[in-house]
Amino acid sequence: MMIKRRYSDYNTYLRSLFGQRVQKITVDTGLGCPNRDGTIARGGCIYCNAKGSGSGLFSQGLSISQQIENGRKAMIRRYKASLFLVYFQSYTNTYTSCANMKKMYDQALSVPGMVGMAIGTRPDCVDPEKLDLIASYTKDYLVWVEYGLQSIHNSTLERINRGHDFACFERAVTMTRERGVKVCAHVILGLPGEDRSMMLETARALGRLKIDGVKIHLLYVVKGTALETMWTRREYQCLEQQEYVETVCDFIELLPESVIIQRITGDPHPEELAAPAWAMERNETFKMIQDTFEIRGSYQGKRFDEKS
């Protein structure tokens, strides 16, 4: 039985645009991050693993073309898919020259059935020239830029060693949307030092910015990170599953209906996860969120107030 969703989900959004399911193919470009190489800070964000939330496929010798072809064959075999969207995920996919960006994007979009791309990056790694290049693809493709924000609170951004402030994110959003490119903000719930009221302030701020999309992530502890050290020393405590579920529902209720909810929980690699164990129960967490909306009789935008 199909679950009726109480929010604007990504698959439904893509189907409304293209008339059928669109499968995302994730690629690893092998690019770095200025927050890890010492350009901005050292060590990266406290929760970031060595692969930058990516697959590590590029370092294994797989080119962008090979990754896409492998992903395309898998999607055709599993879903009989014919339309695809490429997602430049790991690390910072504008942290290179415009010439190299164009080469990467052209290579990916030349694949048969490719209808668009999503580019994961940092708000401090874009400029007018790079955004002009990205915007040049919008006449033929669906184009999203996904900015890692995590929180609107500068005290939190400093605590997690993010390397930029909220004002930087706001500037990047303005420049991107001025060029007709859609913007998705990545947010993490359960960051050190944040209570629920602070997390919901982030939701309100994104609502006021009229952001196009949001990815909501659970902060889970990855082995070998600075966060794991904090967790081991009991300086950080993970959210409980029910607490996370309630906060996600609160968060979505505060966003306008127009915001596309692209993700509502994390997706850790089993071999890398230190805590919480329930982070592996992705389907259960998803169902709990749906059930909570049903019990509340609630939905996305129920508590959105443009003036708040």
Side-chain angles (χ1 to χ4, degrees):
M1 179 172 139
M2 194 167 187
I3 298 173
K4 179 183 176 184
R5 300 193 180 183
R6 298 276 186 148
Y7 56 86
S8 304
D9 69 280
Y10 195 45
N11 285 337
T12 301
Y13 160 76
L14 290 174
R15 191 180 289 273
S16 73
L17 292 179
F18 299 103
Q20 59 180 285
R21 187 179 178 90
V22 178
Q23 291 298 143
K24 183 183 291 183
I25 300 175
T26 299
V27 298
D28 181 340
T29 60
L31 295 177
C33 172
N35 198 25
R36 293 184 67 91
D37 66 13
T39 302
I40 293 174
R42 291 193 179 277
C45 302
I46 64 172
Y47 49 76
C48 187
N49 66 17
K51 293 185 292 190
S53 301
S55 61
L57 289 176
F58 191 89
S59 63
Q60 295 172 28
L62 289 178
S63 68
I64 292 174
S65 294
Q66 289 172 316
Q67 292 177 55
I68 291 177
E69 186 56 30
N70 290 348
R72 185 170 172 273
K73 286 179 180 176
M75 297 302 177
I76 292 173
R77 184 169 58 250
R78 184 172 179 181
Y79 300 107
K80 295 183 171 53
S82 60
L83 299 183
F84 310 94
L85 184 144
V86 61
Y87 177 29
F88 295 93
Q89 180 186 25
S90 59
Y91 285 134
T92 307
N93 291 284
T94 59
Y95 188 45
T96 186
S97 67
C98 279
N100 192 44
M101 287 167 58
K102 187 175 190 307
K103 181 181 177 182
M104 293 190 314
Y105 304 157
D106 287 349
Q107 188 177 359
L109 292 171
S110 67
V111 173
M114 200 66 76
V115 297
M117 63 178 173
I119 302 163
T121 189
R122 292 170 55 94
D124 53 0
C125 287
V126 294
D127 57 38
E129 184 183 6
K130 290 178 178 179
L131 290 172
D132 285 343
L133 170 65
I134 292 169
S136 70
Y137 292 93
T138 59
K139 57 184 180 291
D140 298 311
Y141 299 97
L142 174 66
V143 181
W144 285 77
V145 173
E146 301 190 11
Y147 288 120
L149 168 62
Q150 322 316 356
S151 171
I152 67 163
H153 301 285
N154 289 334
S155 59
T156 300
L157 298 178
E158 185 174 349
R159 188 178 296 115
I160 65 175
N161 198 39
R162 184 65 193 163
H164 65 75
D165 60 12
F166 179 51
C168 176
F169 172 81
E170 291 179 296
R171 289 192 297 271
V173 169
T174 298
M175 286 194 299
T176 307
R177 296 192 70 190
E178 284 175 347
R179 290 163 170 78
V181 179
K182 293 190 176 296
V183 176
C184 178
H186 287 232
V187 172
I188 298 178
L189 302 184
L191 290 166
E194 290 208 355
D195 58 19
R196 188 181 296 193
S197 66
M198 293 177 71
M199 298 178 218
L200 299 186
E201 284 175 29
T202 293
R204 292 187 182 93
L206 292 177
R208 290 193 297 270
L209 279 174
K210 294 183 171 59
I211 213 81
D212 299 295
V214 171
K215 283 187 175 179
I216 304 172
H217 301 265
L218 160 70
L219 181 62
Y220 52 82
V221 181
V222 174
K223 295 174 183 177
T225 62
L227 183 63
E228 186 189 24
T229 301
M230 292 175 60
W231 175 71
T232 303
R233 293 174 179 171
R234 299 187 178 179
E235 297 168 358
Y236 171 71
Q237 183 175 342
C238 303
L239 292 178
E240 297 293 339
Q241 189 175 25
Q242 186 61 44
E243 184 181 12
Y244 178 78
V245 165
E246 295 285 346
T247 305
V248 167
C249 294
D250 291 343
F251 197 101
I252 292 174
E253 287 175 358
L254 291 167
L255 295 174
E257 286 184 87
S258 59
V259 177
I260 306 302
I261 311 300
Q262 296 197 19
R263 178 180 280 271
I264 57 173
T265 188
D267 195 14
H269 297 283
E271 67 277 9
E272 296 178 351
L273 181 68
W278 67 262
M280 295 304 305
E281 300 168 1
R282 190 170 181 273
N283 290 338
E284 180 182 334
T285 301
F286 176 83
K287 184 177 184 304
M288 287 173 67
I289 290 169
Q290 307 303 318
D291 290 347
T292 299
F293 273 123
E294 292 291 330
I295 292 167
R296 292 184 181 186
S298 188
Y299 48 86
Q300 181 178 340
K302 182 177 182 179
R303 293 195 289 150
F304 170 64
D305 182 353
E306 196 165 0
K307 299 177 182 178
S308 67

